[in-house]
Amino acid sequence: MPSLRRKACATASRCAALLILCLLCASSPAQGLRWNVPQHGALTYARTTQRLAVVPPASSIRIDWVVPGGSEGGHEWRYFACPRTGAPPMWETPGFDDSSWLKGRGEFGTDLAENLRQRTRWASELLLLRSRVDLGSRKPKAVMFSVSHDDGIRVHWNGELLLQNDGYGRDRMYVIAGKHLQSMQSGGEGLLTASCVNIGGAQYFDLAVGVLPALPAGVKSAEDLQNTINQQRGVADHVWREFFGGYRPPGLVLHGELDRSGSRVANPPGDLREIGFWAACDLERGVTGGSYQQEISRLWQLGDLKLQGKVSAVEGDGWQTMEISVKDAAEVSTRGETKRFVQMHVTPHTAYGFDGKIAIRRRLELKAGVARVAECEVNVSGRVLRGKDQKDHCADFVQRETYRLAEVRDGQDGGFRVAVQKALDKGTGFLRKELSNLRSPELRRDGDDANRSYHAGRLALGLLAMIKGGVKKDDQVLLVALDELRGRKLVDTYSLGNALMALEAFHSSGQDAADLAQGALDRQRRRSIPDKDRALMQKWTTLLLDNVDTRVDPQYLLRFNYVRDRRFDNSVNQYGLLGLYSAHLCGIETSPALWEGAANHLITAQCDSLGQLDLDLMSFRTLARINASPDEKRTVTILPVRPAGWTYEDPKWQGESQPAWGSMTCAAITGLAISQAALQDLGVKRIKLQNDADAARHSGFGWLGQNLSLRYHPGHIGRQHSWFFYYLYGLERAALLSGIARIQDRDWYLEGAMVLMGSQADDGGWPGEIGHDAAIERAAMAVLFLKRGTAPVLTGQ
């Protein structure tokens, strides 16, 4: 009876605590909770990854793991850390007395704060491990070693050497079989010893050991077994490369991404790694819990996913669990597009399926109807499928991560500005180091007979970012690199456009952006250029104007190509227009007809619209007035538009619409803005053309309002995981040239800056995606976004 009373009391206490939570947090009949995120602010989370891997599926190879690795909890060892020459004599033999050695669990290393696989600190040159391991009745035909080591290792069994390797790497697999296993083939208990030596750089060691009681059919040797395992791992590694790049957005909850109820992140996740945290940020079920059901549309490589499960009631201490199953939909939804469009532009990028589960344990901080996740544990596991009807089980996805609330960002406050400046300093420092070696593979001179000069274009882009990013103009690395650029042969539009922008920025005061945003200027100032640089810019402009699509008259339709040819694309076209506008600011004569032709092209190249949107754009001038007088009521001007973006080339192909891209939409808005501004500067009134260009730009901003993401490249699913930094740089230009501070009340700059700061590498650069952009380009575009150095040209919004 007493135990029953205690259980009853505990149950009553939990119910009372839940009732109190419900009374405190009830905000709607459905008990949904609103996120407690500052208006136009963000929450940042410290993410720790215990395991994130794509591994081969279970196969006919049976492995009994007798020593678990760090990702599975680790094995307890007797360990001794010492200088490289300090190993005790005979330490690897059974008769050695290790009773004075310390006990520690793998993984060993120096990164305990960031890597939860690491449980025991090892900072000396040499690490020695000993452990008694019972094989039981197992009489292995082969032994598998899964080793993470940096650097060389030696492994013994009862004093006999089984494995040695002087390389390094994570999760490396080694197979031992045949006569090399005689010391283990009697089974029973034995002594396992291992050593790892650090010769510099990274430092870690972890060892897992598995025994194979039998060999699969057709496998007769360790080499056969190694080949079989390598083949399976090769498939898994291929799946990883298909799904993921090095870049990954940080753990963030952005106010601008929340849905209208404020209870969940409306933006879908960018790839499979993000679905667990995305689900953990869903507060729709509130404190009482209930059934869970959501859909993810057009996820990279997977298409549409359906999530179903349940959410528990919040316990008295704020903890709550979520159990969710994940399955891919049988067909990708059309979302108002034609089936042919989906077959042409979506289905080819959804070659895989997924059948898995998400288990989440999260702790909520609750206050008067609002809440936030203070910490959560996310576990995702499932089968990756491919082939006909996606029934071929090709790999398993495993993810274990924890998130802890690290910082609350209340808009663009002082802390935000300090953090941005630190990121800028690191980014420009990275670029300065890269541009100090002009013979590097990314920067070396192209051959004199080359028909492209991309290395010079990359050099010019790096210079532009250094100048705009705040590197002093008397900096020797900058001056040497600029002289190098002046002497390079420039061929293509990308290189010429970047070079013109870099030289114009070098001769700019840098004050125009702030003065135009505040209303002190109504247009950009003309640059004062030394005669020698003016002559060089004239030469570059003449070359640039030859790199056009020869199928049309540039006086009517100006469309740039990389070189003179019968083609164009909207990507390189923007570099041509940006370079041409820089030349215009420096006093190089440009014909009004060219700017009319540029605007005509972009107006006619816009994709078809889908639906309608009430567009809300806030200018920097309006935002400045609000910040100066917070009590002043803002007059909201809502503009009904039909959202429409731009694609890479023509808006239709083989009679079907082409998918719009975020980067191309930003490129077209940019091109329209500078074409309109140039015509105004030249005193040319083209009222209908200006009105048509305004309408096209507003439709483009409407498309951005519908699709805006600052985590990945929005729009075409086939480009979601490439050109992200290019897209951000394009968004910065498109918004600033038009003087736009907020799109649909979203602070596009804060959101993008938070993502860039959270994903910046220790060396100041940024990791790559699934694509072919270079490190200098990524860093330059990130710096240009963070600096917000583009000056408005159309300030009447």
Side-chain angles (χ1 to χ4, degrees):
M1 289 300 291
S3 63
L4 291 176
R5 288 194 191 99
R6 284 195 295 271
K7 289 180 180 178
C9 289
T11 301
S13 297
R14 286 194 295 270
C15 291
L18 179 58
L19 178 60
I20 293 171
L21 288 171
C22 291
L23 291 173
L24 286 172
C25 303
S27 58
S28 70
Q31 295 295 318
L33 293 168
R34 290 182 294 110
W35 264 93
N36 184 10
V37 185
Q39 184 83 0
H40 304 118
L43 304 180
T44 67
Y45 287 83
R47 177 174 61 210
T48 304
T49 300
Q50 289 85 33
R51 192 177 188 195
L52 179 60
V54 176
V55 298
S59 67
S60 58
I61 302 176
R62 175 189 163 192
I63 304 176
D64 296 332
W65 293 98
V66 295
V67 175
S71 61
E72 303 300 330
H75 181 72
E76 187 172 87
W77 302 85
R78 288 280 188 180
Y79 76 96
F80 183 73
C82 59
R84 192 168 183 178
T85 58
M90 307 297 289
W91 71 271
E92 71 274 19
T93 61
F96 180 81
D97 182 8
D98 61 14
S99 59
S100 64
W101 287 18
L102 298 174
K103 290 183 179 180
R105 189 174 292 274
E107 173 177 327
F108 294 78
T110 58
D111 196 22
L112 274 65
E114 299 295 330
N115 185 350
L116 288 192
R117 285 177 58 167
Q118 293 192 1
R119 295 172 174 83
T120 307
R121 181 169 176 77
W122 165 47
S124 64
E125 290 181 312
L126 182 64
L127 177 68
L128 310 178
L129 304 179
R130 289 170 56 94
S131 178
R132 304 292 298 183
V133 175
D134 188 1
L135 302 180
S137 59
R138 304 176 185 89
K139 297 182 179 180
K141 297 294 184 182
V143 173
M144 175 83 63
F145 298 93
S146 176
V147 194
S148 293
H149 61 101
D150 197 327
D151 297 285
I153 58 168
R154 303 289 186 272
V155 179
H156 295 78
W157 178 263
N158 288 335
E160 293 190 21
L161 182 66
L162 293 180
L163 169 66
Q164 63 179 8
N165 187 281
D166 291 324
Y168 60 90
R170 284 205 166 273
D171 300 317
R172 302 182 78 181
M173 306 296 289
Y174 304 98
V175 176
I176 304 297
K179 62 181 182 179
H180 302 291
L181 277 184
Q182 291 179 1
S183 61
M184 296 184 75
Q185 287 179 334
S186 60
E189 187 179 74
L191 174 70
L192 180 69
T193 65
S195 66
C196 183
V197 61
N198 176 53
I199 60 174
Q203 184 167 358
Y204 54 83
F205 182 52
D206 190 33
L207 172 66
V209 182
V211 299
L212 283 73
L215 296 178
V219 174
K220 298 181 179 180
S221 66
E223 184 179 1
D224 292 342
L225 184 58
Q226 185 80 62
N227 289 338
T228 301
I229 292 169
N230 288 343
Q231 183 178 18
Q232 292 177 347
R233 288 192 57 157
V235 172
D237 290 344
H238 176 76
V239 172
W240 176 275
R241 291 191 297 271
E242 291 260 276
F243 274 62
F244 311 123
Y247 161 77
R248 184 183 179 192
L252 289 171
V253 174
L254 300 166
H255 178 266
E257 290 186 328
L258 299 177
D259 66 358
R260 290 186 176 182
S261 71
S263 63
R264 57 183 294 268
V265 176
N267 286 40
D271 63 45
L272 185 60
R273 294 172 296 186
E274 308 308 315
I275 65 172
F277 183 64
W278 181 78
C281 293
D282 192 329
L283 304 181
E284 277 191 335
R285 295 303 94 199
V287 296
T288 57
S291 62
Y292 177 89
Q293 186 169 339
Q294 295 292 354
E295 293 186 1
I296 298 173
S297 179
R298 297 188 183 178
L299 190 69
W300 169 247
Q301 290 290 5
L302 295 172
D304 295 353
L305 296 182
K306 295 184 179 296
L307 282 63
Q308 291 183 313
K310 60 182 180 180
V311 183
S312 74
V314 177
E315 299 174 3
D317 56 1
W319 285 97
Q320 186 177 44
T321 60
M322 305 175 72
E323 296 179 0
I324 303 167
S325 64
V326 185
K327 291 186 180 293
D328 55 287
E331 293 184 0
V332 178
S333 60
T334 59
R335 300 199 309 190
E337 295 148 340
T338 66
K339 287 187 176 180
R340 186 166 180 254
F341 176 94
V342 173
Q343 290 171 351
M344 289 174 64
H345 303 301
V346 180
T347 303
H349 306 289
T350 58
Y352 293 88
F354 186 70
D355 182 0
K357 295 184 180 300
I358 305 174
I360 296 167
R361 187 170 179 263
R362 65 186 183 186
R363 181 171 65 83
L364 303 182
E365 290 180 349
L366 304 152
K367 182 181 179 181
V370 296
R372 60 192 181 200
V373 177
E375 56 182 312
C376 65
E377 303 163 1
V378 175
N379 290 271
V380 183
S381 60
R383 301 183 303 150
V384 180
L385 310 168
R386 68 177 180 183
K388 186 177 181 180
D389 300 324
Q390 294 179 341
K391 293 182 178 179
D392 177 15
H393 180 195
C394 60
D396 288 328
F397 177 73
V398 184
Q399 181 182 31
R400 290 200 299 274
E401 293 183 324
T402 58
Y403 293 79
R404 289 181 174 81
L405 181 62
E407 191 173 29
V408 179
R409 179 63 63 213
D410 191 2
Q412 295 186 35
D413 57 13
F416 171 80
R417 294 190 294 272
V418 169
V420 167
Q421 189 57 54
K422 288 181 178 178
L424 276 169
D425 291 343
K426 287 174 62 178
T428 54
F430 175 86
L431 288 171
R432 189 178 183 279
K433 181 179 178 181
E434 293 295 310
L435 267 62
S436 67
N437 180 12
L438 297 172
R439 296 182 179 180
S440 70
E442 291 187 5
L443 297 175
R444 64 176 181 262
R445 284 181 178 243
D446 298 282
D448 291 338
D449 59 344
N451 61 358
R452 298 290 193 275
S453 51
Y454 295 150
H455 291 170
R458 189 173 296 125
L459 170 62
L461 184 64
L463 277 166
L464 177 66
M466 286 176 65
I467 295 166
K468 296 259 188 177
V471 175
K472 293 182 178 180
K473 292 182 181 179
D474 61 356
D475 180 89
Q476 284 303 302
V477 170
L478 189 152
L479 292 174
V480 169
L482 192 60
D483 280 342
E484 174 72 15
L485 179 65
R486 289 185 178 107
R488 291 276 181 104
K489 177 185 177 181
L490 304 183
V491 177
D492 58 273
T493 298
Y494 169 78
S495 304
L496 289 161
N498 280 333
L500 286 163
M501 284 192 287
L503 209 52
E504 177 258 313
F506 183 73
H507 294 296
S508 169
S509 68
Q511 187 60 33
D512 281 14
D515 288 346
L516 283 160
Q518 298 298 324
L521 289 176
D522 63 352
R523 65 187 62 193
Q524 292 197 39
R525 299 180 180 92
R526 294 299 178 94
R527 311 321 186 209
S528 177
I529 307 294
D531 291 343
K532 190 173 183 179
D533 277 351
R534 184 188 299 276
L536 184 59
M537 293 185 78
Q538 180 66 68
K539 174 186 174 182
W540 288 346
T541 303
T542 301
L543 292 170
L544 176 66
L545 287 173
D546 194 50
N547 288 344
V548 294
D549 182 352
T550 59
R551 296 171 298 179
V552 294
D553 182 355
Q555 301 293 314
Y556 176 67
L557 289 178
L558 176 61
R559 311 193 303 202
F560 282 101
N561 186 35
Y562 286 94
V563 295
R564 187 176 183 84
D565 200 357
R566 295 174 57 81
R567 77 173 293 278
F568 80 95
D569 66 66
N570 287 318
S571 176
V572 75
N573 185 69
Q574 75 169 321
Y575 286 103
L577 294 178
L578 287 164
L580 195 61
Y581 190 71
S582 287
H584 164 76
L585 290 176
C586 292
I588 307 300
E589 184 177 349
T590 57
S591 164
L594 291 174
W595 295 111
E596 291 180 43
N600 283 333
H601 159 63
L602 293 169
I603 292 168
T604 58
Q606 195 164 20
C607 297
D608 292 337
S609 62
L610 287 175
Q612 292 184 336
L613 179 76
D614 290 334
L615 179 63
D616 178 11
L617 299 177
M618 179 184 286
S619 71
F620 283 100
R621 291 184 180 181
T622 300
L623 181 61
R625 287 198 302 270
I626 292 173
N627 290 337
S629 303
D631 296 333
E632 178 182 328
K633 289 187 178 180
R634 177 200 169 200
T635 301
V636 180
T637 302
I638 300 297
L639 183 66
V641 299
R642 293 183 64 82
W646 280 263
T647 189
Y648 184 60
E649 296 178 298
D650 290 310
K652 289 185 181 293
W653 184 67
Q654 294 185 350
E656 183 57 72
S657 296
Q658 292 276 74
W661 307 11
S663 59
M664 295 300 95
T665 299
C666 293
I669 294 172
T670 292
L672 285 168
I674 57 181
S675 297
Q676 291 179 265
L679 287 172
Q680 291 175 4
D681 287 348
L682 294 170
V684 177
K685 292 184 178 181
R686 294 289 186 269
I687 296 176
K688 183 180 185 305
L689 179 64
Q690 291 281 7
N691 289 339
D692 290 346
D694 281 341
R697 274 194 304 119
H698 289 147
S699 291
F701 276 116
W703 187 92
L704 288 174
Q706 281 186 331
N707 298 276
L708 189 63
S709 172
L710 279 302
R711 296 177 186 267
Y712 54 85
H713 186 186
H716 182 23
I717 186 174
R719 294 295 180 269
Q720 283 181 1
H721 281 267
S722 57
W723 312 118
F724 171 67
F725 300 94
Y726 174 54
Y727 153 67
L728 284 187
Y729 174 38
L731 178 62
E732 182 263 358
R733 287 194 308 268
L736 285 174
L737 286 168
S738 295
I740 301 302
R742 290 178 185 165
I743 303 171
Q744 297 304 95
D745 199 35
R746 288 180 64 174
D747 187 341
W748 58 266
Y749 176 71
L750 177 134
E751 293 184 28
M754 294 298 295
V755 171
L756 286 176
M757 289 188 292
S759 58
Q760 189 175 23
D762 290 340
D763 66 358
W766 277 266
E769 311 159 83
I770 302 175
H772 306 289
D773 57 340
I776 291 174
E777 290 169 326
R778 293 194 300 271
M781 291 173 180
V783 164
L784 288 164
F785 180 96
L786 289 171
K787 185 59 180 180
R788 266 189 313 190
T790 300
V793 294
L794 298 174
T795 59
Q797 296 291 342

